[in-house]
Amino acid sequence: MQQPLSIKPYITEDQLQKKIAEIGATLTEKFRNKQLIAVCVLKGSFMFYSDLIRQIDADITCEFFGVSSYHGTTSSGEVKVTLDLSKPVEGKHVLLVEDIVDTGITMNYLKNAILSRMPASLTTVALLEKPDALKVPCELDHVGFKISNEFVVGYGLDYEGYYRNLPYIGQVQNFQ
Ligand code: 5GP
């Protein structure tokens, strides 16, 4: 059952959609008249991904990459692939869409996994980044919001599998 957490709204639906429209416009400029494979990192980025790709005016095909590295509210530091891409990306332009960069370990793993498949280009985008939590250097091409080092839920992000369906990002107030 969903734990009854107290969640303080942190980034509203309106702020999310405005930022996503901005990033979408930038990516449209970059990829206009190009073929693009947009990779959704499961599970956390599914909501951001589906809003973002609707703001990009380019020829897009969709791919899904499943990884897990979290237990409760802490990163295990070990990335497990739960679903691999269904097609080769060699010679293609790839947009990697992640929900949040915390220690940077997952994004680094994903970047290396995709670059080893020889795409024509790789562009990274994360909705959220926690700069104070980085443990490995992690360059991102596009970031929605830089946030403090606190655990957030909603808009695809979970706590123990729950809260992904909140339409906004919230900060959890009452962890034991
Ligand atoms: P990293 O490898 O950068 O430490 O962690 C990346 C993954 O950890 C994200 O894709 C996300 O699934 C999870 N994660 C990191 N910080 C948070 C957070 O504040 N809230 C939630 N719900 N997940 C997080």
Side-chain angles (χ1 to χ4, degrees):
M1 225 175 74
Q2 180 167 312
Q3 244 194 57
L5 300 179
S6 155
I7 293 167
K8 184 171 142 211
Y10 183 51
I11 306 175
T12 64
E13 285 185 74
D14 196 41
Q15 288 171 313
L16 289 168
Q17 294 310 323
K18 276 196 184 124
K19 185 61 78 177
I20 291 166
E22 270 172 36
I23 300 173
T26 308
L27 292 172
T28 296
E29 284 308 306
K30 186 166 179 181
F31 292 108
R32 202 188 295 281
N33 302 322
K34 293 208 175 109
Q35 303 246 327
L36 179 63
I37 300 182
V39 175
C40 172
V41 182
L42 296 174
K43 295 176 184 167
S45 74
F46 73 95
M47 228 179 253
F48 172 45
Y49 176 87
S50 62
D51 282 341
L52 180 64
I53 61 171
R54 281 180 282 180
Q55 298 287 341
I56 305 172
D57 187 7
D59 288 344
I60 293 183
T61 56
C62 299
E63 281 289 326
F64 300 88
F65 211 152
V67 288
S68 80
S69 63
Y70 251 62
H71 300 291
T73 62
T74 46
S75 174
S76 67
E78 210 181 284
V79 182
K80 261 200 284 176
V81 174
T82 55
L83 177 75
D84 202 351
L85 303 180
S86 74
K87 289 201 176 118
V89 295
E90 189 173 345
K92 314 271 187 189
H93 297 290
V94 175
L95 174 69
L96 182 60
V97 183
E98 176 62 305
D99 51 0
I100 183 165
V101 171
D102 182 21
T103 62
I105 291 170
T106 307
M107 187 48 118
N108 263 296
Y109 177 93
L110 290 164
K111 275 165 84 170
N112 289 333
I114 289 177
L115 287 173
S116 70
R117 299 172 195 202
M118 313 296 274
S121 70
L122 174 62
T123 301
T124 53
V125 55
L127 177 64
L128 306 172
E129 185 192 12
K130 295 182 191 168
D132 297 340
L134 277 181
K135 287 197 178 147
V136 292
C138 184
E139 295 284 317
L140 297 166
D141 297 306
H142 305 276
V143 178
F145 302 89
K146 294 191 184 211
I147 64 169
S148 57
N149 193 3
E150 276 167 89
F151 195 77
V152 290
V153 293
Y155 196 65
L157 289 157
D158 74 313
Y159 173 67
E160 306 263 317
Y162 293 100
Y163 296 102
R164 293 192 197 275
N165 58 322
L166 289 179
Y168 58 88
I169 304 274
Q171 272 178 335
V172 179
Q173 303 289 286
N174 62 335
F175 278 133
Q176 270 90 42

mmCIF file of all heavy atoms in Angstrom, residues 51-85:
data_model
loop_
_atom_site.group_PDB
_atom_site.id
_atom_site.type_symbol
_atom_site.label_atom_id
_atom_site.label_comp_id
_atom_site.label_asym_id
_atom_site.label_seq_id
_atom_site.Cartn_x
_atom_site.Cartn_y
_atom_site.Cartn_z
ATOM 1 N N ASP A 51 5.529 14.176 -22.745
ATOM 2 C CA ASP A 51 5.258 15.607 -22.946
ATOM 3 C C ASP A 51 6.323 16.229 -23.854
ATOM 4 O O ASP A 51 6.010 17.033 -24.728
ATOM 5 C CB ASP A 51 5.230 16.352 -21.600
ATOM 6 C CG ASP A 51 3.908 16.131 -20.854
ATOM 7 O OD1 ASP A 51 2.911 15.735 -21.516
ATOM 8 O OD2 ASP A 51 3.875 16.340 -19.638
ATOM 9 N N LEU A 52 7.592 15.842 -23.636
ATOM 10 C CA LEU A 52 8.682 16.466 -24.412
ATOM 11 C C LEU A 52 8.592 16.124 -25.903
ATOM 12 O O LEU A 52 8.706 17.016 -26.742
ATOM 13 C CB LEU A 52 10.044 16.024 -23.844
ATOM 14 C CG LEU A 52 11.266 16.606 -24.554
ATOM 15 C CD1 LEU A 52 11.331 18.133 -24.400
ATOM 16 C CD2 LEU A 52 12.561 15.974 -24.029
ATOM 17 N N ILE A 53 8.396 14.863 -26.243
ATOM 18 C CA ILE A 53 8.421 14.515 -27.680
ATOM 19 C C ILE A 53 7.280 15.194 -28.430
ATOM 20 O O ILE A 53 7.400 15.456 -29.617
ATOM 21 C CB ILE A 53 8.462 12.983 -27.955
ATOM 22 C CG1 ILE A 53 7.240 12.273 -27.390
ATOM 23 C CG2 ILE A 53 9.760 12.379 -27.457
ATOM 24 C CD1 ILE A 53 7.136 10.810 -27.837
ATOM 25 N N ARG A 54 6.192 15.528 -27.723
ATOM 26 C CA ARG A 54 5.090 16.239 -28.395
ATOM 27 C C ARG A 54 5.448 17.692 -28.672
ATOM 28 O O ARG A 54 4.743 18.386 -29.391
ATOM 29 C CB ARG A 54 3.811 16.146 -27.559
ATOM 30 C CG ARG A 54 3.137 14.790 -27.753
ATOM 31 C CD ARG A 54 1.879 14.677 -26.950
ATOM 32 N NE ARG A 54 2.188 14.407 -25.544
ATOM 33 C CZ ARG A 54 1.270 14.268 -24.607
ATOM 34 N NH1 ARG A 54 -0.007 14.396 -24.900
ATOM 35 N NH2 ARG A 54 1.625 14.008 -23.365
ATOM 36 N N GLN A 55 6.541 18.156 -28.079
ATOM 37 C CA GLN A 55 6.989 19.544 -28.310
ATOM 38 C C GLN A 55 8.148 19.612 -29.298
ATOM 39 O O GLN A 55 8.714 20.682 -29.508
ATOM 40 C CB GLN A 55 7.440 20.185 -26.983
ATOM 41 C CG GLN A 55 6.363 20.306 -25.947
ATOM 42 C CD GLN A 55 5.346 21.385 -26.274
ATOM 43 O OE1 GLN A 55 5.606 22.271 -27.080
ATOM 44 N NE2 GLN A 55 4.178 21.304 -25.671
ATOM 45 N N ILE A 56 8.522 18.466 -29.869
ATOM 46 C CA ILE A 56 9.650 18.465 -30.821
ATOM 47 C C ILE A 56 9.108 18.183 -32.215
ATOM 48 O O ILE A 56 8.506 17.129 -32.457
ATOM 49 C CB ILE A 56 10.705 17.400 -30.451
ATOM 50 C CG1 ILE A 56 11.178 17.581 -29.008
ATOM 51 C CG2 ILE A 56 11.896 17.485 -31.408
ATOM 52 C CD1 ILE A 56 12.075 16.457 -28.508
ATOM 53 N N ASP A 57 9.326 19.142 -33.110
ATOM 54 C CA ASP A 57 8.832 18.994 -34.476
ATOM 55 C C ASP A 57 9.963 18.417 -35.336
ATOM 56 O O ASP A 57 10.762 19.150 -35.913
ATOM 57 C CB ASP A 57 8.389 20.375 -34.980
ATOM 58 C CG ASP A 57 7.708 20.277 -36.330
ATOM 59 O OD1 ASP A 57 7.472 19.148 -36.792
ATOM 60 O OD2 ASP A 57 7.437 21.340 -36.915
ATOM 61 N N ALA A 58 10.060 17.076 -35.343
ATOM 62 C CA ALA A 58 11.092 16.375 -36.124
ATOM 63 C C ALA A 58 10.558 14.971 -36.388
ATOM 64 O O ALA A 58 9.520 14.589 -35.846
ATOM 65 C CB ALA A 58 12.393 16.320 -35.340
ATOM 66 N N ASP A 59 11.277 14.202 -37.228
ATOM 67 C CA ASP A 59 10.870 12.808 -37.477
ATOM 68 C C ASP A 59 11.390 11.950 -36.334
ATOM 69 O O ASP A 59 12.584 11.647 -36.285
ATOM 70 C CB ASP A 59 11.468 12.306 -38.793
ATOM 71 C CG ASP A 59 10.793 12.943 -39.988
ATOM 72 O OD1 ASP A 59 9.695 13.506 -39.805
ATOM 73 O OD2 ASP A 59 11.368 12.884 -41.078
ATOM 74 N N ILE A 60 10.503 11.567 -35.442
ATOM 75 C CA ILE A 60 10.931 10.858 -34.228
ATOM 76 C C ILE A 60 10.431 9.421 -34.226
ATOM 77 O O ILE A 60 9.271 9.162 -34.534
ATOM 78 C CB ILE A 60 10.383 11.581 -32.972
ATOM 79 C CG1 ILE A 60 11.053 12.949 -32.828
ATOM 80 C CG2 ILE A 60 10.600 10.761 -31.714
ATOM 81 C CD1 ILE A 60 10.645 13.711 -31.585
ATOM 82 N N THR A 61 11.339 8.505 -33.868
ATOM 83 C CA THR A 61 10.881 7.168 -33.492
ATOM 84 C C THR A 61 11.196 6.984 -32.007
ATOM 85 O O THR A 61 12.120 7.616 -31.479
ATOM 86 C CB THR A 61 11.539 6.042 -34.323
ATOM 87 O OG1 THR A 61 12.944 6.146 -34.195
ATOM 88 C CG2 THR A 61 11.139 6.129 -35.794
ATOM 89 N N CYS A 62 10.413 6.128 -31.353
ATOM 90 C CA CYS A 62 10.511 5.988 -29.895
ATOM 91 C C CYS A 62 11.177 4.670 -29.504
ATOM 92 O O CYS A 62 10.855 3.616 -30.063
ATOM 93 C CB CYS A 62 9.125 6.043 -29.268
ATOM 94 S SG CYS A 62 8.283 7.602 -29.569
ATOM 95 N N GLU A 63 12.082 4.764 -28.547
ATOM 96 C CA GLU A 63 12.715 3.571 -27.979
ATOM 97 C C GLU A 63 12.682 3.684 -26.452
ATOM 98 O O GLU A 63 12.624 4.811 -25.912
ATOM 99 C CB GLU A 63 14.170 3.445 -28.450
ATOM 100 C CG GLU A 63 14.315 2.896 -29.857
ATOM 101 C CD GLU A 63 13.975 1.409 -29.942
ATOM 102 O OE1 GLU A 63 14.248 0.656 -28.985
ATOM 103 O OE2 GLU A 63 13.411 1.011 -30.977
ATOM 104 N N PHE A 64 12.779 2.546 -25.793
ATOM 105 C CA PHE A 64 12.683 2.510 -24.326
ATOM 106 C C PHE A 64 13.858 1.735 -23.752
ATOM 107 O O PHE A 64 14.185 0.660 -24.257
ATOM 108 C CB PHE A 64 11.340 1.894 -23.911
ATOM 109 C CG PHE A 64 10.181 2.698 -24.446
ATOM 110 C CD1 PHE A 64 9.663 2.436 -25.713
ATOM 111 C CD2 PHE A 64 9.674 3.764 -23.728
ATOM 112 C CE1 PHE A 64 8.639 3.211 -26.243
ATOM 113 C CE2 PHE A 64 8.655 4.551 -24.249
ATOM 114 C CZ PHE A 64 8.135 4.274 -25.507
ATOM 115 N N PHE A 65 14.492 2.322 -22.750
ATOM 116 C CA PHE A 65 15.657 1.700 -22.100
ATOM 117 C C PHE A 65 15.301 1.605 -20.614
ATOM 118 O O PHE A 65 15.083 2.635 -19.963
ATOM 119 C CB PHE A 65 16.871 2.613 -22.302
ATOM 120 C CG PHE A 65 18.203 1.911 -22.384
ATOM 121 C CD1 PHE A 65 19.249 2.471 -23.104
ATOM 122 C CD2 PHE A 65 18.421 0.703 -21.756
ATOM 123 C CE1 PHE A 65 20.484 1.842 -23.199
ATOM 124 C CE2 PHE A 65 19.643 0.061 -21.844
ATOM 125 C CZ PHE A 65 20.684 0.640 -22.566
ATOM 126 N N GLY A 66 15.206 0.393 -20.114
ATOM 127 C CA GLY A 66 14.839 0.234 -18.696
ATOM 128 C C GLY A 66 16.079 0.008 -17.842
ATOM 129 O O GLY A 66 16.891 -0.868 -18.132
ATOM 130 N N VAL A 67 16.234 0.821 -16.798
ATOM 131 C CA VAL A 67 17.330 0.615 -15.842
ATOM 132 C C VAL A 67 16.806 0.821 -14.429
ATOM 133 O O VAL A 67 15.830 1.537 -14.219
ATOM 134 C CB VAL A 67 18.508 1.601 -16.066
ATOM 135 C CG1 VAL A 67 19.291 1.278 -17.313
ATOM 136 C CG2 VAL A 67 18.068 3.042 -16.061
ATOM 137 N N SER A 68 17.479 0.193 -13.473
ATOM 138 C CA SER A 68 17.109 0.482 -12.090
ATOM 139 C C SER A 68 18.372 0.559 -11.248
ATOM 140 O O SER A 68 19.333 -0.188 -11.483
ATOM 141 C CB SER A 68 16.142 -0.556 -11.537
ATOM 142 O OG SER A 68 16.845 -1.697 -11.150
ATOM 143 N N SER A 69 18.381 1.511 -10.326
ATOM 144 C CA SER A 69 19.557 1.666 -9.464
ATOM 145 C C SER A 69 19.169 2.132 -8.074
ATOM 146 O O SER A 69 20.025 2.354 -7.241
ATOM 147 C CB SER A 69 20.533 2.676 -10.073
ATOM 148 O OG SER A 69 19.913 3.930 -10.152
ATOM 149 N N TYR A 70 17.876 2.291 -7.834
ATOM 150 C CA TYR A 70 17.443 2.849 -6.559
ATOM 151 C C TYR A 70 16.738 1.835 -5.668
ATOM 152 O O TYR A 70 15.959 1.024 -6.129
ATOM 153 C CB TYR A 70 16.485 4.025 -6.805
ATOM 154 C CG TYR A 70 17.127 5.357 -6.465
ATOM 155 C CD1 TYR A 70 18.239 5.796 -7.138
ATOM 156 C CD2 TYR A 70 16.618 6.149 -5.442
ATOM 157 C CE1 TYR A 70 18.836 6.999 -6.825
ATOM 158 C CE2 TYR A 70 17.205 7.361 -5.125
ATOM 159 C CZ TYR A 70 18.315 7.779 -5.827
ATOM 160 O OH TYR A 70 18.896 8.975 -5.501
ATOM 161 N N HIS A 71 17.005 1.938 -4.366
ATOM 162 C CA HIS A 71 16.252 1.173 -3.368
ATOM 163 C C HIS A 71 15.720 2.187 -2.384
ATOM 164 O O HIS A 71 16.513 2.865 -1.726
ATOM 165 C CB HIS A 71 17.145 0.175 -2.649
ATOM 166 C CG HIS A 71 17.769 -0.817 -3.579
ATOM 167 N ND1 HIS A 71 17.044 -1.778 -4.228
ATOM 168 C CD2 HIS A 71 19.044 -0.973 -3.990
ATOM 169 C CE1 HIS A 71 17.856 -2.491 -4.988
ATOM 170 N NE2 HIS A 71 19.069 -2.009 -4.872
ATOM 171 N N GLY A 72 14.405 2.366 -2.292
ATOM 172 C CA GLY A 72 13.840 3.383 -1.385
ATOM 173 C C GLY A 72 14.287 4.758 -1.827
ATOM 174 O O GLY A 72 14.018 5.168 -2.937
ATOM 175 N N THR A 73 15.040 5.452 -0.972
ATOM 176 C CA THR A 73 15.440 6.825 -1.325
ATOM 177 C C THR A 73 16.940 6.946 -1.546
ATOM 178 O O THR A 73 17.467 8.044 -1.598
ATOM 179 C CB THR A 73 15.034 7.800 -0.203
ATOM 180 O OG1 THR A 73 15.736 7.429 0.980
ATOM 181 C CG2 THR A 73 13.545 7.802 0.034
ATOM 182 N N THR A 74 17.652 5.824 -1.664
ATOM 183 C CA THR A 74 19.097 5.934 -1.893
ATOM 184 C C THR A 74 19.520 5.145 -3.123
ATOM 185 O O THR A 74 18.984 4.082 -3.419
ATOM 186 C CB THR A 74 19.915 5.386 -0.700
ATOM 187 O OG1 THR A 74 19.340 4.139 -0.327
ATOM 188 C CG2 THR A 74 19.935 6.345 0.461
ATOM 189 N N SER A 75 20.506 5.695 -3.827
ATOM 190 C CA SER A 75 21.023 5.033 -5.015
ATOM 191 C C SER A 75 21.903 3.877 -4.584
ATOM 192 O O SER A 75 22.713 4.009 -3.674
ATOM 193 C CB SER A 75 21.843 6.035 -5.833
ATOM 194 O OG SER A 75 22.452 5.366 -6.898
ATOM 195 N N SER A 76 21.751 2.731 -5.252
ATOM 196 C CA SER A 76 22.597 1.582 -4.914
ATOM 197 C C SER A 76 23.966 1.730 -5.557
ATOM 198 O O SER A 76 24.911 1.034 -5.202
ATOM 199 C CB SER A 76 21.942 0.296 -5.414
ATOM 200 O OG SER A 76 21.930 0.296 -6.828
ATOM 201 N N GLY A 77 24.083 2.644 -6.537
ATOM 202 C CA GLY A 77 25.360 2.825 -7.238
ATOM 203 C C GLY A 77 25.602 1.744 -8.267
ATOM 204 O O GLY A 77 26.620 1.732 -8.941
ATOM 205 N N GLU A 78 24.678 0.825 -8.394
ATOM 206 C CA GLU A 78 24.823 -0.283 -9.333
ATOM 207 C C GLU A 78 23.664 -0.222 -10.314
ATOM 208 O O GLU A 78 22.509 -0.219 -9.896
ATOM 209 C CB GLU A 78 24.738 -1.585 -8.539
ATOM 210 C CG GLU A 78 25.522 -2.713 -9.134
ATOM 211 C CD GLU A 78 25.345 -3.951 -8.284
ATOM 212 O OE1 GLU A 78 25.972 -4.015 -7.199
ATOM 213 O OE2 GLU A 78 24.539 -4.801 -8.680
ATOM 214 N N VAL A 79 23.969 -0.140 -11.608
ATOM 215 C CA VAL A 79 22.898 0.018 -12.587
ATOM 216 C C VAL A 79 22.555 -1.348 -13.188
ATOM 217 O O VAL A 79 23.429 -2.075 -13.644
ATOM 218 C CB VAL A 79 23.336 0.986 -13.708
ATOM 219 C CG1 VAL A 79 22.213 1.186 -14.709
ATOM 220 C CG2 VAL A 79 23.761 2.320 -13.119
ATOM 221 N N LYS A 80 21.263 -1.673 -13.150
ATOM 222 C CA LYS A 80 20.811 -2.944 -13.733
ATOM 223 C C LYS A 80 19.942 -2.637 -14.943
ATOM 224 O O LYS A 80 19.030 -1.805 -14.849
ATOM 225 C CB LYS A 80 19.951 -3.710 -12.724
ATOM 226 C CG LYS A 80 20.714 -4.783 -12.000
ATOM 227 C CD LYS A 80 19.786 -5.820 -11.407
ATOM 228 C CE LYS A 80 19.114 -5.261 -10.158
ATOM 229 N NZ LYS A 80 18.132 -6.088 -9.535
ATOM 230 N N VAL A 81 20.210 -3.282 -16.080
ATOM 231 C CA VAL A 81 19.362 -3.077 -17.254
ATOM 232 C C VAL A 81 18.167 -4.003 -17.141
ATOM 233 O O VAL A 81 18.311 -5.210 -16.973
ATOM 234 C CB VAL A 81 20.142 -3.364 -18.559
ATOM 235 C CG1 VAL A 81 19.215 -3.299 -19.770
ATOM 236 C CG2 VAL A 81 21.286 -2.376 -18.719
ATOM 237 N N THR A 82 16.966 -3.413 -17.202
ATOM 238 C CA THR A 82 15.750 -4.222 -17.103
ATOM 239 C C THR A 82 15.074 -4.366 -18.471
ATOM 240 O O THR A 82 14.238 -5.239 -18.666
ATOM 241 C CB THR A 82 14.752 -3.584 -16.113
ATOM 242 O OG1 THR A 82 14.516 -2.236 -16.519
ATOM 243 C CG2 THR A 82 15.296 -3.585 -14.697
ATOM 244 N N LEU A 83 15.420 -3.474 -19.413
ATOM 245 C CA LEU A 83 14.875 -3.563 -20.782
ATOM 246 C C LEU A 83 15.858 -2.876 -21.724
ATOM 247 O O LEU A 83 16.180 -1.701 -21.532
ATOM 248 C CB LEU A 83 13.518 -2.851 -20.857
ATOM 249 C CG LEU A 83 12.877 -2.808 -22.247
ATOM 250 C CD1 LEU A 83 12.298 -4.169 -22.621
ATOM 251 C CD2 LEU A 83 11.780 -1.751 -22.299
ATOM 252 N N ASP A 84 16.311 -3.607 -22.738
ATOM 253 C CA ASP A 84 17.273 -3.013 -23.673
ATOM 254 C C ASP A 84 16.526 -2.400 -24.859
ATOM 255 O O ASP A 84 15.347 -2.693 -25.086
ATOM 256 C CB ASP A 84 18.263 -4.084 -24.147
ATOM 257 C CG ASP A 84 19.570 -3.472 -24.666
ATOM 258 O OD1 ASP A 84 19.643 -2.237 -24.826
ATOM 259 O OD2 ASP A 84 20.520 -4.240 -24.906
ATOM 260 N N LEU A 85 17.235 -1.558 -25.628
ATOM 261 C CA LEU A 85 16.646 -0.962 -26.827
ATOM 262 C C LEU A 85 16.244 -2.078 -27.784
ATOM 263 O O LEU A 85 16.898 -3.126 -27.828
ATOM 264 C CB LEU A 85 17.671 -0.048 -27.513
ATOM 265 C CG LEU A 85 18.244 1.084 -26.666
ATOM 266 C CD1 LEU A 85 19.243 1.889 -27.474
ATOM 267 C CD2 LEU A 85 17.135 1.992 -26.170
#
